[in-house]
Amino acid sequence: MKNIKLYFLIGFTLFGLLSCEKDDNKISDYDFNVFDIIPDLSNNRLYIIERDPGKISIIDYEAMTVVKSVTTDAVIGYCSIGYHGNQKELYVPAKDGRLLIYDAGTLEKKDQIDIKRSTLCVVNINGILFISTDVWPGSIRVVNRAARSLVSQGGDNEDSRLMIIPNTNTGIIEVTTTGSPTDVDYFSFNSNGIVVSHKDDIYHGDYPVSAAVFQFFPDGGKYITSSAGAIYDVNMKYLNRLSKGGELFADYAFNADASIIYCARSNMNMIVSYSNPDLTKIREYKTQGNPYKIFRKDNVLICV
């Protein structure tokens, strides 16, 4: 089990933080075997994903309480939140070939779709579900949520992680999770989920990439990935990196215009801020443990 501590960094200025955390009574400890964390910041919630035994928990980070937990009885992967009509849903890919669908607010199970292959990741773009499976070729299964039917198959890598490019309704970055080196692919789909274009990784390991450590810049034009803080444009062209020495990072967050990048140090009890685009270190902030995930909402940085 992984013990996680939830607390806040507050009071942002243009150049950093005015204070480092709220009172101790706003710090809570939890024991989870964490695989991933999905933020729902508009509702002050974090979804804690435990791959095995397939448990999902909702934490209200303002109240510091576990709102609801459910066990899926399956080994699960990278989940996501999306809408089916006006209903907010949580999509849960399972190793046994099922795509499980839960009400995002209550964690009541609503539906399941048999994908017929082990699934690792799912994302929803306007009612079209893109699901990463363990088969190649055709590793990405595209399913119409309303019709519950297969639309198309594509993809270049089995068991990959899929990330929607912000401010688009058509673009997905695919990152491999198995084999070496880690590769990245770009896909553009039309509104029906049919592949329009595909770009393959031109580096194949020349620069660092990680499916587990990956964040888009707010405008979707770039992404930052890996413990080295490697920065690429959305066309997968390598641009720069943050770490020049022994710094290792677990996660990243941004202020509204991305002029500041906040970096969770995985090998120290610290969050570091950098200016963007010149990547000059601004300041270091002490934490009570190695930060695992960080999320920014308004003038608050939520740290796990």
Side-chain angles (χ1 to χ4, degrees):
M1 301 292 285
K2 179 181 289 185
N3 178 268
I4 64 174
K5 185 179 291 288
L6 181 63
Y7 58 98
F8 299 87
L9 302 174
I10 62 172
F12 287 93
T13 68
L14 178 61
F15 299 104
L17 302 173
L18 296 177
S19 59
C20 285
E21 62 184 50
K22 289 186 177 180
D23 296 335
D24 286 348
N25 62 5
K26 294 292 286 183
I27 300 175
S28 294
D29 293 285
Y30 306 90
D31 284 313
F32 295 110
N33 187 17
V34 182
F35 174 71
D36 193 27
I37 299 178
I38 304 171
D40 182 10
L41 303 183
S42 62
N43 291 302
N44 301 327
R45 289 181 165 191
L46 301 175
Y47 291 74
I48 310 298
I49 308 301
E50 300 182 68
R51 182 161 170 76
D52 191 358
K55 185 178 178 182
I56 303 164
S57 301
I58 301 175
I59 291 180
D60 183 321
Y61 59 77
E62 282 286 351
M64 292 291 187
T65 57
V66 177
V67 176
K68 179 78 173 180
S69 292
V70 64
T71 300
T72 64
D73 296 319
V75 178
I76 60 177
Y78 289 105
C79 307
S80 63
I81 296 172
Y83 282 89
H84 174 43
N86 61 358
Q87 300 177 21
K88 194 172 186 177
E89 297 181 328
L90 177 69
Y91 305 102
V92 181
K95 192 174 182 179
D96 62 12
R98 294 177 296 159
L99 176 67
L100 308 173
I101 302 174
Y102 291 85
D103 182 287
T106 65
L107 291 187
E108 296 296 323
K109 186 178 176 183
K110 298 178 58 177
D111 200 354
Q112 70 178 42
I113 300 173
D114 186 7
I115 306 303
K116 297 183 172 60
R117 298 297 311 189
S118 174
T119 63
L120 180 67
C121 181
V122 57
V123 295
N124 180 340
I125 301 179
N126 294 332
I128 304 296
L129 304 177
F130 298 83
I131 305 156
S132 167
T133 72
D134 66 345
V135 65
W136 183 88
S139 56
I140 299 178
R141 303 293 170 91
V142 184
V143 171
N144 183 292
R145 167 65 183 102
R148 304 176 75 257
S149 61
L150 184 69
V151 172
S152 68
Q153 296 179 205
D156 205 28
N157 303 282
E158 67 274 15
D159 286 330
S160 58
R161 186 174 187 185
L162 310 176
M163 267 82 70
I164 301 171
I165 300 172
N167 301 315
T168 75
N169 290 319
T170 57
I172 286 178
I173 293 290
E174 176 190 43
V175 186
T176 60
T177 66
T178 60
S180 182
T182 302
D183 271 358
V184 180
D185 286 73
Y186 168 90
F187 291 91
S188 177
F189 297 84
N190 67 18
S191 60
N192 294 317
I194 308 300
V195 175
V196 175
S197 63
H198 168 224
K199 297 178 183 177
D200 196 6
D201 194 330
I202 63 172
Y203 298 117
H204 301 293
D206 293 343
Y207 302 102
V209 179
S210 169
V213 183
F214 190 108
Q215 294 291 343
F216 284 103
F217 284 65
D219 66 359
K222 296 185 290 187
Y223 57 86
I224 183 168
T225 180
S226 86
S227 60
I231 299 173
Y232 300 76
D233 69 22
V234 74
N235 293 308
M236 305 179 297
K237 179 182 178 181
Y238 175 77
L239 302 175
N240 211 331
R241 64 190 289 170
L242 287 176
S243 179
K244 310 296 184 181
E247 292 181 317
L248 297 175
F249 304 117
D251 197 20
Y252 307 95
F254 306 88
N255 65 342
D257 64 0
S259 60
I260 299 176
I261 307 172
Y262 297 94
C263 309
R265 286 284 302 269
S266 61
N267 58 343
M268 290 191 71
N269 297 352
M270 185 181 296
I271 293 173
V272 183
S273 60
Y274 288 85
S275 60
N276 180 51
D278 61 306
L279 305 184
T280 301
K281 183 183 290 187
I282 301 172
R283 191 173 168 185
E284 298 176 343
Y285 307 94
K286 298 291 185 180
T287 60
Q288 294 192 6
N290 295 151
Y292 172 63
K293 291 286 185 182
I294 51 176
F295 309 99
R296 174 157 175 166
K297 179 185 179 182
D298 302 323
N299 287 331
V300 174
L301 192 68
I302 302 126
C303 177
V304 180

